Amino acid sequence: RRQKKTASHAVTELENSKDCSPAGKPLLCPSHPTEELQLFCEQCDQPVCRDCVLGTHRQHPCDFPGNVIHRHGDALRELLRSSQQHVDTLEEVLSRVEEMGGAVRSRAEAVAAEICLFAKGHVKAIEEHRDWLLKQLEDLKVQKENLLHLQKAQLQQLLLDMRTGVEFTEHLLTSGSDVEILLTKGVVSSRLTELNSVAYSTHPSVDDRIQFSPHERAGQCCGYEVFGAILNKVVDPARCTLHGEDLHSARQNQLSGFTLLCKDSTGERMGRGGEAVQVTITHKDKRDCAVKPTVCDNGDGTYCISYSPEEPGLYAVCVCVKGQHVKGSPFTLMVKHKFREHQGVFHCCTFCSSGGQKAARCACGGTMPGGYQGCGHGHKGHPGCHHWSCCGQVKESSECLCGPPSDPSQRSLLRTVVL
């Protein structure tokens, strides 16, 4: 109805038109309304009438519908079977899609229930952790207040005793007779001396350093990992200690290091990182020679300080926390020359390793009778064990004690020994 070309056409349902149309009604040609479609044009693949064959389809191969229906009908039936298979497949896929839609909705509802349960448990864990933190804070507050009250009571009692002794002594000196002063002098002096010797702190016994760290791991609560901890420990640089084998000695161009352990005012390990650690390593003889160390925060109260000195000699090492030297800082670091590799051979005797050469020498100083300059088995001066030919060291995994020989003849002989 909306198209201009078919606006005036009569439209009926196919079922209604089938019921209303008379059976066997001939089909007329659209180009020749008075002629019945009795032929089929193979070239144009459409039914035609006799006038069409004489006209536009003159040169086209045409035949009666009864002669070609079997061929076109078979092809149509084959296409119908293929389409029917697709229909069955589509119906099956549609059924599976509908089932999957129901499964998705059911699964979404189950996951939503899991999310709600998880959130509920997480909220419960956070609330319990909050209550525990508040209780810990209250206990810490009560502990600090009790210590302050105890200190206050002790100071008040000491102040009362001091005032009593001062007032009594002043009254004795102003109102007492000479005999009375001399008679009570010993007791008063002893009491005042005792009061003056009482040790007391000029600062409060505790401080107000209570902090909350929201990013601190606090373990698990109700099966959930929670964060947030109350920090009441404060690092004390005077109690921080240094540890490590390379604390006072190192090698040139070799990576070395030591460990800083941070502690609080009570000597307990901090157990957390984040402190401001400064380390300087300066050569004592060469002011422009300094080593740039690397400080690694392990997050547990320990800090690894690594360095690689390029020059040998004495270095001054300063380790500070919050701008204050730690225990043992500053200290002296001795940087030795880089490890000297042995240039000789680790042998039993020069005679064997040199192939019997009489002129071969050995750094151990051993000699043999008969003009041999090197050491030999069982002879005087032989170390009695394997040793390095370059320096005489008897330990195989050791550092060479001497540099390369300056005498060309010795260098040649040593090279011969090595070969």
Side-chain angles (χ1 to χ4, degrees), residues 30 44 145 219 265 272 306 325 350:
C44 299
E145 288 179 344
S265 56
R272 58 179 175 85
S306 57
H325 286 278
T350 313

Side-chain angles (χ1 to χ4, degrees), residues 40-42 45-46 65 67-78:
F40 183 78
C41 179
E42 293 286 352
D45 195 24
Q46 66 177 16
N67 297 334
V68 298
I69 188 62
H70 64 280
R71 179 162 47 84
H72 293 279
D74 292 343
L76 191 60
R77 279 188 289 273
E78 184 65 26

Side-chain angles (χ1 to χ4, degrees), residues 41-95:
C41 179
E42 293 286 352
Q43 182 174 341
C44 299
D45 195 24
Q46 66 177 16
V48 295
C49 66
R50 290 178 299 177
D51 292 347
C52 293
V53 173
L54 297 175
T56 57
H57 298 271
R58 181 184 300 273
Q59 302 297 330
H60 297 178
C62 297
D63 201 349
F64 291 102
N67 297 334
V68 298
I69 188 62
H70 64 280
R71 179 162 47 84
H72 293 279
D74 292 343
L76 191 60
R77 279 188 289 273
E78 184 65 26
L79 187 60
L80 176 62
R81 282 194 297 270
S82 177
S83 301
Q84 188 62 45
Q85 292 178 359
H86 284 292
V87 169
D88 297 339
T89 304
L90 288 173
E91 289 179 349
E92 184 180 355
V93 172
L94 183 60
S95 176

